[in-house]
Amino acid sequence: MTWCSPEPSSCWSGLSGTISNPGPRKCMPKLVYIRLALYIPEFAWAIMGAIWVSDNGVQCDKTVVHVILLTVIASWLIMLFTTIAIVIVFDPLGRKKALYYVRDEDHNLESSQSDQLLYNFKKTATRVWETRIRLLCCCIGNDNDNRVAFSSIAQLLTSYFADTDLVPSDIAAGLTLLHQEQDKVELSRDPDEVLSQSPSHPVRDDLEVELGKAAHYMQFAAAAYGWPLYVYSNPVTGLCKLCGECCQSRRAQHDIVGGDNLNCHFGSILQTTGLQYRDFIHISFHNRIYEIPFFVALDHKTEAILVAIRGTLSLEDVLTDLSADCENLHTDGVDGDCFSHKGICQAASYIYRRLINDGILNQAFTVAPEYKLVIVGHSLGAGAASVLAVQLRSSFPTLKCYAFSPPGGLFSKALADYSKNFIISIIVGKDLVPRLSLPNMEDLKNRILRMVVNCNRPKYQILLHGCWYEIFGGNPDDFPTELDGRNMASLTQPLLAEQTLLVQKSSSYNTLTDGSSPESPRYPHLYLPGKIIHITEDSRSGWLCFSDVKYNARWSKETAFSSIYISPRMITDHMPDIVLSALRSLCQERSGCGPCQTPPHVLRTNQV
């Protein structure tokens, strides 16, 4: 499990053996240290090259000078990115991990010594992860809220990666093997098994009505992303349509908060929703950790006061997503444990304070007292909308929430069941985000470990075949996925990274022996909000943006999203333009979906 440097000897050594058999690569550390030492003369040579190129007195052919200039620039870029990669990826805890995993039987440490060793290891690992996060997020400031978020995320990552030592290429190989294994299972699955996952109580008419409303409200969830999504979805005409809006000053006419000095965000919202200027009550583009943009508007077509919350679009939003610890969400009338995703819960609480304490909802209901309250959002916005709906439910009993592609690890079981009365979740295909939760990630890690441990092929063969399979398709490879006769004794030897992973001490590796999950799960189970509509692809014709896709929709259970599926579409199915396109396609195929008619000048979508 080592990275390959350009030198043939290092590459040959790095390609030897298999992922779980590092013996043929035992000379690789020495080669890496030699390669690092060579950076000193390379650095000196790059400096000399830069001085030579910048010397105006050099009398050489211009072509030669330009070639040398490009070579010098390439050398500096390679050294820069290599340095950044070493600082971010290098794990200084290798020996500490080894000591941690052998602390009991191998060293016969007293309980207090063992606890101290474990504490020191976790403290050092958390500090390493926190340093990495600070380096990656150096552009967003270092105030107290950010430091708390960095520390919380670092502790979570320390807990998740504590018992593994996989490099990125190992993870890529494991994902490749897992994708092909899942495809083999899916090809052999009985269609009746898929239908059995759909709950029987909601009737078909309810599904069609909800799809029509969802197609209409998805426009507002997409509009919350502002001009980046609008220009992405309208690459030819988007900028031209926004130019007129950007040149006008509307800050005095509307309650707009945050950085939209050129009115590009507001202009794209107008173009996407088809609303008039007077229909907006409040617009906030303010964005920090746990504080996400949203807007409140009047939708006269459905007689609703709409609260639309933006999804992940900034580094601050990513940190909010990663703050995945549990936080209590006390809810009257709900029996059982009530807790939710910490980062999303705090983001929803921020919007709740703005809506209630600043009187935004009171202002909206003063203008339209007979309208109902509807909360919508996509991705992170869907999670925040769901939590906000739970918080506002007691004050607004008739409110509805439409959560498009919500994160999977959101509500405890009691809250998830309670939310089925007023929240509708819409999920497209093999979208990754609705399947993301800490237990699912732990399961994914265990399955990746099982794949890489059991496969006897070199890593480069796995990755090459995986690239071919992803691009050109074909049949999944029959890489071994079982232990091929290995006995239990072999699993007590270090399989990965020689000295840093001992199977008998790692909870992840203990599960490899029988494929079962740990009896005491490390993370509490969190579930999707509300009732779930799952939209799947029936057929596809054409190519790329010229493709014609037919979709099917059905009610689904939360158990259908209890594992992560590896697929090229796991990211694209999450994109808001794809979700909107799928909903519109379904509405066009069904009669009686009046609410999903497209207003003029709204968001166009690209089909992938």
Side-chain angles (χ1 to χ4, degrees), residues 6-56:
E7 285 73 12
S9 59
S10 298
C11 287
W12 177 258
S13 177
L15 294 175
S16 302
T18 64
I19 298 176
S20 59
N21 179 26
R25 300 192 298 273
K26 60 183 179 180
C27 64
M28 192 64 192
K30 298 179 181 178
L31 294 175
V32 170
Y33 287 127
I34 294 173
R35 181 64 185 87
L36 288 175
L38 292 176
Y39 272 110
I40 298 176
E42 282 188 14
F43 181 70
W45 189 258
I47 294 176
M48 293 174 60
I51 296 174
W52 185 87
V53 170
S54 61
D55 187 0
N56 296 328

Side-chain angles (χ1 to χ4, degrees), residues 581-594:
S581 175
L583 287 167
R584 286 179 176 170
S585 176
L586 285 168
C587 276
Q588 291 173 1
E589 296 172 6
R590 289 169 163 81
S591 59
C593 285

Side-chain angles (χ1 to χ4, degrees), residues 182 186 218 225 377-380 382 403-409 425-437 440-441 528 532-537 551 558 560-580 582:
Q182 289 177 340
E186 188 172 351
M218 180 59 202
Y225 282 95
H378 173 267
S379 187
L380 169 62
F404 302 95
S405 307
S425 292
I426 295 90
I427 299 169
V428 175
K430 296 183 177 179
D431 186 353
L432 169 66
V433 173
R435 295 174 169 87
L436 278 181
S437 65
N440 286 1
M441 289 297 295
L528 286 163
I532 303 169
I533 297 176
H534 190 198
I535 301 174
T536 55
E537 184 179 305
Y551 293 97
E558 61 268 17
F561 305 92
S562 58
S563 62
I564 296 174
Y565 286 96
I566 308 304
S567 168
R569 301 197 60 82
M570 61 194 295
I571 302 298
T572 57
D573 282 346
H574 183 70
M575 298 298 291
D577 61 320
I578 298 298
V579 178
L580 182 57

Side-chain angles (χ1 to χ4, degrees), residues 126-160:
T126 302
R127 187 164 58 247
V128 170
W129 276 109
E130 192 167 347
T131 301
R132 291 170 176 169
I133 296 171
R134 290 178 187 275
L135 290 174
L136 291 173
C137 304
C138 58
C139 59
I140 67 172
N142 195 28
D143 58 26
N144 185 61
D145 290 340
N146 291 357
R147 287 194 297 270
V148 172
F150 294 162
S151 178
S152 175
I153 296 171
Q155 292 175 11
L156 185 66
L157 294 175
T158 298
S159 173
Y160 184 75

Side-chain angles (χ1 to χ4, degrees), residues 76 150 170 291 344 394 410 417 458 464 472 488 558 583 595:
W76 280 105
F150 294 162
D170 294 333
E291 299 176 3
I344 296 176
S394 58
L410 187 61
D417 291 339
L464 287 176
F472 300 105
M488 292 290 294
E558 61 268 17
L583 287 167

Side-chain angles (χ1 to χ4, degrees), residues 88-151:
I88 294 176
V89 177
F90 176 69
D91 184 6
L93 298 174
R95 295 186 180 276
K96 289 184 176 63
K97 280 186 178 181
L99 291 173
Y100 162 60
Y101 285 119
V102 299
R103 68 184 185 276
D104 289 328
E105 286 86 352
D106 294 341
H107 287 274
N108 295 318
L109 294 178
E110 296 293 336
S111 177
S112 59
Q113 293 177 303
S114 178
D115 293 342
Q116 184 63 37
L117 181 60
L118 176 60
Y119 171 78
N120 291 337
F121 165 75
K122 290 184 176 180
K123 182 178 179 181
T124 305
T126 302
R127 187 164 58 247
V128 170
W129 276 109
E130 192 167 347
T131 301
R132 291 170 176 169
I133 296 171
R134 290 178 187 275
L135 290 174
L136 291 173
C137 304
C138 58
C139 59
I140 67 172
N142 195 28
D143 58 26
N144 185 61
D145 290 340
N146 291 357
R147 287 194 297 270
V148 172
F150 294 162
S151 178

Side-chain angles (χ1 to χ4, degrees), residues 418-494:
Y418 169 73
S419 66
K420 291 180 180 179
N421 298 319
F422 53 94
I423 298 178
I424 301 293
S425 292
I426 295 90
I427 299 169
V428 175
K430 296 183 177 179
D431 186 353
L432 169 66
V433 173
R435 295 174 169 87
L436 278 181
S437 65
L438 291 178
N440 286 1
M441 289 297 295
E442 186 74 13
D443 174 68
L444 176 66
K445 179 176 69 174
N446 292 339
R447 288 191 289 166
I448 289 177
L449 292 172
R450 174 179 289 277
M451 290 293 172
V452 299
V453 166
N454 297 338
C455 187
N456 56 11
R457 300 286 186 90
K459 191 192 307 183
Y460 75 93
Q461 290 185 13
I462 299 173
L463 294 175
L464 287 176
H465 184 273
C467 290
W468 180 274
Y469 180 76
E470 299 294 347
I471 297 174
F472 300 105
N475 296 322
D477 203 339
D478 289 327
F479 288 126
T481 57
E482 298 300 331
L483 292 182
D484 292 337
R486 291 185 184 181
N487 54 30
M488 292 290 294
S490 66
L491 289 178
T492 64
Q493 301 301 316

